[in-house]
Amino acid sequence: MDKGKGVMGSSGRRWAVDFSDNSTSRDFIDPPGFSRASLDQDDSTLSRQKKDAESNWKSQKAWEVAQAPFKNLLMMGFMMWMAGNTVHLFSIGITFSALWQPISALQSVGKMFEPYKDAKVELLGPKLVFIALNLGGMLLGVWKLNSLGLLPTHTSDWVSSLAPAQEVEYSGGGLNFR
């Protein structure tokens, strides 16, 4: 068969399709699972389905935003572990970064979830997860500060703020306090 020939002509073929039949009556039945009623849905049903799909998408994205600090938590934990427990510029910088990032994220919780506000989307759960993960990040930073010895947790850290002790003199027969 030559290239391009036989496509338009129907001679010598066993089958042929006639696309010029514009009649509305059909001699065959609809395939299983097909419903002509689904083609005739009104616009309100389609718009309701579209709104439901959009609400589901917003809810899914809100949960993704809520779980995003978990990745940051793992990364910060690894970086703090790699920095060691000696006080030097890198370990202090990593530690304060681990404290600052959750604080700034907690200040912008409302802005983070603003695009996902909808009457059908419940944002309380994602917001609580977001807050909990950021508080976990802050606790990780506080733990690192403590392991570096930068938190005043021992009584010797507070000695300078204690009232001075009274002086005691010994004068032969007894003790004199000033």
Side-chain angles (χ1 to χ4, degrees), residues 154-163:
H154 302 289
T155 53
S156 62
D157 296 330
W158 299 97
V159 169
S160 64
S161 64
L162 296 175

Side-chain angles (χ1 to χ4, degrees), residues 3-119:
K3 228 179 198 181
K5 293 190 179 183
V7 174
M8 298 300 283
S10 61
S11 61
R13 291 189 173 200
R14 293 186 197 175
W15 56 270
V17 178
D18 184 18
F19 291 110
S20 63
D21 182 22
N22 292 333
S23 65
T24 57
S25 65
R26 303 279 181 204
D27 295 337
F28 52 89
I29 60 171
D30 291 334
F34 179 80
S35 171
R36 292 198 183 274
S38 65
L39 296 176
D40 300 332
Q41 288 180 340
D42 59 343
D43 291 336
S44 64
T45 306
L46 289 175
S47 65
R48 189 174 352 106
Q49 287 176 347
K50 192 181 271 188
K51 286 180 182 178
D52 289 343
E54 185 178 345
S55 295
N56 289 336
W57 178 83
K58 285 182 177 183
S59 177
Q60 201 173 28
K61 290 298 177 182
W63 278 106
E64 287 177 15
V65 168
Q67 295 170 356
F70 183 71
K71 297 174 191 172
N72 191 25
L73 191 70
L74 293 177
M75 181 196 62
M76 271 301 166
F78 178 72
M79 288 174 61
M80 286 182 194
W81 176 72
M82 291 297 290
N85 288 336
T86 57
V87 179
H88 52 81
L89 187 61
F90 182 71
S91 62
I92 292 173
I94 292 295
T95 304
F96 283 108
S97 173
L99 289 169
W100 180 253
Q101 286 178 355
I103 290 171
S104 63
L106 288 173
Q107 289 176 344
S108 64
V109 171
K111 292 177 188 173
M112 295 287 286
F113 290 96
E114 185 72 31
Y116 310 113
K117 275 189 177 178
D118 194 355

